[in-house]
Amino acid sequence: MTGDVAVLGAGMHPWGKWGRGFVEYGVAAARAALADAGLEWRQVGSIVGADTVRSGYPGYVAGAAFAKALGWQGARVTSVYAACASGAQAISTARAQILSGLADVVLVVGADAAPKGFFRPAGGDRPDDPDWLRFRVLGATNPTYFGLYARRRMAVHGDTLEDFTQVKVKNAALGALNANARYRKPVTAQEVAASPVVADPLRLLDICATSDGGAALVLSSMEFARRHGVAEPVRIRAVSTVTPRYPNTVLDLPEIATDSAVAVDPTAETFRASIARAAYEEAGIGPDDLSLAEVYDLSTALELQWYEDLGLCGQGEGAELLRDGETAPGGRIPVNMSGGLASFGEAVPAQAIAQVCEVTWQLRGQAGDRQVAGARVGITANQGLFGHGSAVIAVR
Amino acid sequence: MSRTRTPVVDGWFTGDGDDFRLLGTRCSACAAVFFPREDVHCRNPGCPGGDLEEVPLSQRGYIWSYTDSRYRPPSPYVTDPELPWEPYALIAVELESERMVVLGQAAPGFTVADLAVGMEVEVVPGVLHEDTETIWTTWHWRPTGVAI
């Protein structure tokens, strides 16, 4: 087991379509996290930025862009990119610096300014880029992959459109309680059913939007936290950043085909399940120890898939877990108490950090109307394009 | 004026009519198959690395899953913004002997209502889009034994 690092501060800029630059959102989140930690920016020894690919050069060097905007003070700087898993990579980097003694206090920041409509690849003709190819050759947007997964679940596990709808209804009700969420209105099953189909069988309200937003964390060594007067901080106990194992037999974004299993038999465990397992092993805990989970509900159907991949239930039992109310407030393992991506929309480099912000507030008992009573252990999970696993376990 | 027929990607498929095939590569050392083709290194981490030889993929497979695109995809997908958007289906097909899943557009005329997981499909030549000089060709998946 590796050592713990303390979460001293968490902060966000609300999600929405604000029409401003990503640096502004990131700096607002960073200042909120620093204030929450009771620390000044000049006390931070290292800043790690999660990159955005949608805001030009400053987005590729997000750590420096945030450091400059906060005011150069000489801190060590790192910028990381791992698509949707960028935030977890930033947390992982910060943790490694703290555990190795390179830094006492690290500021982690991610923010994005998302364009309207479908995400699309970077410009130019790049026939060696799988992301460019899937758009050029197939017009395969992100929602079409979500549609494929949803239809497959319906055929294999018997999930229904009503199950998918109920994920949205659950998450929208929670998002309505979250001041940082973009969508803050409860949604009815009738409203989901009345929304247009985007990628059969999924409707607009089954699929997460793309948003502006920013999230930040102040992490420190346990020793620094004690000196700072925080005896029992929320602690990060595990960060999983694993890659798939060949052959990867699930059709993952942005691939046009899976690996072939002709030469090597696939493992029984899928990539997504391995992401969670690595986190559990590192933390020395299991799914039964969890108080709550924040998962990447890019679509309603994907949330059900995560239930199974996190081991909250057996394979194929996700819909049943939902129907039994076990993942709703008051259930055995509430999922996406923040409202999830259903209520936020995805601000790519901020999202995995935002998940940890929610878990932090839950473990501190500061989640207000969304509070899970007596929360002690939380997990976050997501998956970034091109083979990036992401999961964080925090405890108190 | 005759227009040139050009594959949307070079080397991914070949042939006409009944001889149309997707092209992958196979490692001579471990027999792993790759599509899209790998021409430089075998990606099996347990393989010492062999020559990668072009190999045609099975013409038939079974639907692993399917969906459609109800909204116009962004560039670099090429569409005519002057024309109303016509949704098309996407099919992920499991190839038994290659033990892999390959995505493709459904042949024109087939909608999600015509499809089911487990249904047999075959690969057929198709046209992705046309411009004044070029007919850009691709592959389509088409349910076998179904007339529309």
Side-chain angles (χ1 to χ4, degrees):
Chain A
M1 261 172 64
T2 53
D4 292 348
V5 299
V7 182
L8 289 185
M12 287 189 196
H13 182 288
W15 265 230
K17 284 280 189 191
W18 308 109
R20 303 195 297 273
F22 82 100
V23 175
E24 183 176 335
Y25 310 137
V27 167
R31 290 192 191 286
L34 287 163
D36 186 44
L39 287 171
E40 289 187 25
W41 160 231
R42 280 175 297 185
Q43 292 173 272
V44 171
S46 170
I47 181 168
V48 184
D51 292 349
T52 168
V53 294
R54 275 173 275 279
S55 297
Y57 210 147
Y60 305 140
V61 293
F66 298 135
K68 180 183 178 187
L70 287 161
W72 294 124
Q73 48 87 321
R76 180 191 297 268
V77 65
T78 311
S79 300
V80 298
Y81 188 70
C84 297
S86 299
Q89 294 263 329
I91 293 166
S92 175
T93 302
R95 183 177 75 136
Q97 291 180 350
I98 292 165
L99 292 178
S100 66
L102 285 174
D104 266 345
V105 182
V106 184
L107 177 61
V108 175
V109 192
D112 208 358
K116 190 172 161 47
F118 292 121
F119 282 150
R120 61 183 71 191
D125 277 3
R126 294 193 317 284
D128 54 352
D129 171 355
D131 195 48
W132 185 88
L133 281 168
R134 57 135 168 168
F135 281 96
R136 173 71 182 96
V137 179
L138 301 172
T141 59
N142 291 5
T144 62
Y145 286 80
F146 309 154
L148 290 171
Y149 305 148
R151 177 60 66 185
R152 179 75 185 167
R153 285 195 62 85
M154 292 172 77
V156 174
H157 300 313
D159 291 7
T160 66
L161 295 178
E162 176 62 16
D163 293 326
F164 302 154
T165 294
Q166 288 306 322
V167 174
K168 176 69 177 187
V169 170
K170 169 181 76 73
N171 289 347
L174 289 162
L177 305 174
N178 192 338
N180 287 311
R182 173 175 171 191
Y183 302 105
R184 302 203 53 209
K185 274 197 228 159
V187 169
T188 64
Q190 291 73 22
E191 287 170 315
V192 178
S195 68
V197 174
V198 174
D200 177 272
L202 297 177
R203 295 179 176 276
L204 186 64
L205 293 184
D206 284 304
I207 294 168
C208 92
T210 62
S211 293
D212 298 355
L217 293 165
V218 178
L219 306 181
S220 82
S221 64
M222 292 301 293
E223 167 58 23
F224 181 93
R226 271 189 291 275
R227 276 189 276 129
H228 188 56
V230 186
E232 280 191 59
V234 169
R235 288 162 286 159
I236 289 179
R237 182 151 287 178
V239 183
S240 167
T241 55
V242 295
T243 50
R245 279 168 299 169
Y246 181 89
N248 188 2
T249 56
V250 177
L251 185 64
D252 275 334
L253 281 155
E255 306 296 342
I256 285 174
T258 65
D259 290 336
S260 158
V262 161
V264 181
D265 279 327
T267 54
E269 181 186 60
T270 63
F271 173 44
R272 263 194 304 271
S274 78
I275 297 169
R277 181 183 49 77
Y280 289 136
E281 284 179 2
E282 191 169 283
I285 65 155
D288 292 344
D289 301 311
L290 297 174
S291 310
L292 74 152
E294 286 284 310
V295 304
Y296 229 59
D297 55 319
L298 291 165
S299 78
T300 49
L302 258 181
E303 176 166 319
L304 301 180
Q305 184 68 49
W306 278 116
Y307 296 173
E308 298 163 16
D309 294 334
L310 293 186
L312 309 182
C313 59
Q315 281 299 315
E317 297 170 0
E320 194 181 331
L321 195 71
L322 175 86
R323 291 176 204 144
D324 291 346
E326 299 289 22
T327 58
R332 175 166 65 79
I333 172 67
V335 176
N336 282 339
M337 291 300 288
S338 66
L341 273 65
S343 303
F344 276 74
E346 190 184 20
V348 175
Q351 213 68 45
I353 300 170
Q355 290 181 314
V356 177
C357 289
E358 174 68 13
V359 168
T360 298
W361 292 323
Q362 290 283 353
L363 297 183
R364 286 178 182 169
Q366 295 176 340
D369 295 337
R370 306 189 312 282
Q371 183 63 46
V372 174
R376 306 295 296 179
V377 182
I379 190 170
T380 72
N382 89 36
Q383 178 186 356
L385 265 69
F386 291 97
H388 290 99
S390 157
V392 175
I393 291 176
V395 302
R396 196 176 190 205
Chain B
M1 284 290 287
S2 72
R3 292 181 291 174
T4 324
R5 292 180 74 86
T6 306
V8 61
V9 185
D10 219 21
W12 281 18
F13 48 84
T14 187
D16 295 307
D18 290 347
D19 296 327
F20 184 79
R21 303 289 285 264
L22 287 171
L23 293 175
T25 54
R26 182 166 53 207
C27 175
S28 61
C30 75
V33 176
F34 299 100
F35 182 85
R37 56 192 298 150
E38 293 286 348
D39 285 298
V40 184
H41 298 293
C42 176
R43 290 194 288 104
N44 172 5
C47 176
D51 292 334
L52 291 158
E53 297 152 354
E54 187 170 277
V55 59
L57 303 187
S58 301
Q59 285 174 299
R60 294 189 171 201
Y62 297 93
I63 295 181
W64 181 84
S65 192
Y66 59 94
T67 184
D68 61 7
S69 257
R70 299 288 175 98
Y71 291 85
R72 194 186 300 272
S75 163
Y77 193 72
V78 179
T79 64
D80 183 348
E82 302 292 315
L83 297 176
W85 173 243
E86 290 290 338
Y88 61 88
L90 282 167
I91 309 180
V93 177
E94 201 160 9
L95 303 178
E96 273 184 319
S97 54
E98 290 83 1
R99 297 186 70 188
M100 69 193 302
V101 173
V102 177
L103 195 55
Q105 293 185 342
F110 289 94
T111 71
V112 289
D114 304 312
L115 307 174
V117 170
M119 181 183 277
E120 190 185 52
V121 293
E122 62 185 339
V123 72
V124 294
V127 172
L128 185 61
H129 65 98
E130 306 177 28
D131 52 40
T132 49
E133 288 115 34
T134 310
I135 297 168
W136 296 92
T137 59
T138 189
W139 74 96
H140 285 149
W141 292 115
R142 185 184 201 289
T144 56
V146 181
I148 54 163

